[in-house]
Amino acid sequence: MKRKVVISVIGGHDINDKVEKLAHNIGEIIAKVGCVLVCGGLYGSMEATARGCKQAGGTTIGLIPGKDKRDANPYIDIVIATTIGYARNAMVACSGDIIIALPGSHGTLSEICYGFVYEKPIIDLGRWKRPGMIKVKNLKELESKLRDLIKTIESK
Amino acid sequence: MKRKVVISVIGGHDINDKVEKLAHNIGEIIAKVGCVLVCGGLYGSMEATARGCKQAGGTTIGLIPGKDKRDANPYIDIVIATTIGYARNAMVACSGDIIIALPGSHGTLSEICYGFVYEKPIIDLGRWKRPGMIKVKNLKELESKLRDLIKTIESK
Amino acid sequence: MKRKVVISVIGGHDINDKVEKLAHNIGEIIAKVGCVLVCGGLYGSMEATARGCKQAGGTTIGLIPGKDKRDANPYIDIVIATTIGYARNAMVACSGDIIIALPGSHGTLSEICYGFVYEKPIIDLGRWKRPGMIKVKNLKELESKLRDLIKTIESK
Amino acid sequence: MKRKVVISVIGGHDINDKVEKLAHNIGEIIAKVGCVLVCGGLYGSMEATARGCKQAGGTTIGLIPGKDKRDANPYIDIVIATTIGYARNAMVACSGDIIIALPGSHGTLSEICYGFVYEKPIIDLGRWKRPGMIKVKNLKELESKLRDLIKTIESK
């Protein structure tokens, strides 16, 4: 009856091959550590992460800005049609017990800001380098860091 | 790779034993027909439906109004902390491919209204009797109606 | 340094001549009693009320659902681009110290519901006849009722 | 019948005397150039700007996060009770035809981000130094820049 630990992954629409691969791998790790992925539900890094998570057997939730579920990328299991536009960035951040930040633009940065406002652990995989974000060197370190954070969250 | 059909159940906090049993049974049926339950995540009929769904092996999502996940009832698997208060009623309605309305007060009626605004099928199990809602006589008819609606939704 | 008493007027897009005249007259009364008009900023009764209020020298605020201020009707002085779609109905209701309900459909009813949730006085000028709404027989009685309510609100 | 040009001022709660004076002066300029002030409605720089604007005869609107209008600072003429928490930052940004950014923390930065998302001119008076923001050296240059922007906005 325990509720699931949610990892919110935030990042941009326009991504290069390297970031797409990184996003996919992060999705796989989220499935591997037994968490649920929450993201904005759309394209670019959101799609790549959802694809990685889903293909590794995980659960993916997309908080899309609009009302039409068909806006979601095809790797989203459960679409929440928030209807509130980009104001939904607040809830992408607040719904994560942990946030992973990939490279992105203003939208992604707004989500990082909300992560701080709601006092979430935010892992920097996008060279954001903002004070207070958690650094990890590689995917192995990411997985290890996630397992530590999950243990702490589940013990609360 | 197909996305899950979501059933949003809406209803009040203060419920009697009869409604609690009804809500629990509806939750079981949602699990049985293979859908995901979305609800407001709090107490009363939201808790009873989530308990029924979860105990029957289903997945339960709670769109809570606030930012603190501990506000959710214990039968919610995945808590979305919407942070937007009762304005989240719009997204409870819009996230359902199907809405089931139990007895409730003004909050529930606002969700029924949003269901109409977003053109959702709304099943009346709360004696709302508003034109355009779908009537079912009993739980057997509910299950049958849900299976019909799910087939239509999945074929789109 | 006293803040202004806000009257939120809610009502539908599709209105007949009679309701348009009523809405216009209500707008005039809002200006006359020295209040600010808040509405959804769009067309139908929102436009007619704003026109009445503005032509009588009042101030009109439109809480539009989208991001483009040009969506507002031409009688809105100050456009708040809420960006959150119809979830903004919650804030149309909550921003009114007093709510006046004209005829309308599901959207208007959702705003009446939020009015009850946020415990606002709601004056029924749309034959809603819901328990707890305030009845007035004509515009003279409306003005008198508004003056009473304003006095109470300002003394708080 | 022309709608008012809105200037949204964003900035932090915790401010020193220097920023308080700056905020007050900016409020005065907003009144002087004939615009309406929109802000978050609370304390710190929001209060100082509203005080400056109000004392110079301007109109001040506060988009507060909660539902209780008494949360607003005493220099707000018209309180919009958004009810949607910090997700309201999206609408503070989007409601400004022009945004002025004072020093602040994560909340303010989220509003700057939304300013970029909604393609607003953003004047940097908080040493944010983000690419795309408009620099002004002093209050005289601010006033001149505002007059230019207002002319462009009104001609659209």
Side-chain angles (χ1 to χ4, degrees), chain B residues 68-90:
Chain B
D68 189 338
K69 292 192 170 193
R70 291 169 298 186
D71 293 345
N73 74 62
Y75 304 101
I76 298 296
D77 291 310
I78 302 165
V79 182
I80 302 299
T82 71
T83 76
I84 63 163
Y86 296 118
R88 71 81 155 87
N89 292 3

Side-chain angles (χ1 to χ4, degrees), chain D residues 20-150:
Chain D
E20 181 156 8
K21 180 123 181 52
L22 175 64
H24 184 98
N25 289 340
I26 289 170
E28 287 178 335
I29 291 170
I30 290 170
K32 194 177 166 190
V33 298
C35 291
V36 166
L37 169 67
V38 159
C39 68
L42 302 179
Y43 295 90
S45 54
M46 293 173 266
E47 178 169 10
T49 313
R51 192 183 59 227
C53 183
K54 186 141 184 61
Q55 289 178 354
T59 296
T60 59
I61 297 184
L63 308 183
I64 61 168
K67 62 186 182 182
D68 189 339
K69 292 192 171 195
R70 291 168 298 185
D71 293 346
N73 74 63
Y75 304 100
I76 298 296
D77 291 310
I78 302 165
V79 182
I80 302 298
T82 71
T83 76
I84 63 163
Y86 296 119
R88 71 83 154 85
N89 291 3
M91 87 185 59
V92 172
C94 197
S95 296
D97 297 293
I98 302 163
I99 297 171
I100 299 173
L102 290 167
S105 186
H106 303 297
T108 306
L109 182 52
S110 76
E111 292 169 316
I112 292 171
C113 291
Y114 280 120
F116 281 113
V117 167
Y118 294 119
E119 301 182 337
K120 303 289 181 176
I122 312 171
I123 298 172
D124 184 1
L125 280 164
R127 296 175 189 263
W128 291 98
K129 297 181 182 172
R130 299 191 70 79
M133 293 179 83
I134 298 164
K135 287 169 218 157
V136 294
K137 281 189 208 118
N138 49 45
L139 291 175
K140 203 182 152 190
E141 212 177 290
L142 172 67
E143 185 179 329
S144 161
K145 186 70 201 168
L146 289 179
R147 290 192 189 278
D148 287 351
L149 288 166
I150 292 162

Side-chain angles (χ1 to χ4, degrees), chain C residues 62-128:
Chain C
L63 308 183
I64 61 169
K67 62 186 182 182
D68 189 338
K69 292 191 171 194
R70 290 168 298 185
D71 293 345
N73 73 62
Y75 305 100
I76 298 296
D77 291 310
I78 302 166
V79 183
I80 301 300
T82 71
T83 77
I84 64 164
Y86 296 118
R88 71 82 154 86
N89 292 2
M91 84 184 62
V92 172
C94 197
S95 296
D97 298 295
I98 301 163
I99 296 172
I100 298 174
L102 290 168
S105 186
H106 304 297
T108 306
L109 182 53
S110 76
E111 291 170 316
I112 292 171
C113 291
Y114 280 120
F116 281 112
V117 167
Y118 295 119
E119 300 181 341
K120 303 287 180 179
I122 311 172
I123 297 171
D124 184 0
L125 280 165
R127 296 175 189 261
W128 292 97

Side-chain angles (χ1 to χ4, degrees), chain C residues 31-50:
Chain C
K32 192 175 167 194
V33 299
C35 290
V36 166
L37 168 67
V38 160
C39 68
L42 302 179
Y43 295 91
S45 56
M46 294 173 265
E47 178 169 10
T49 314

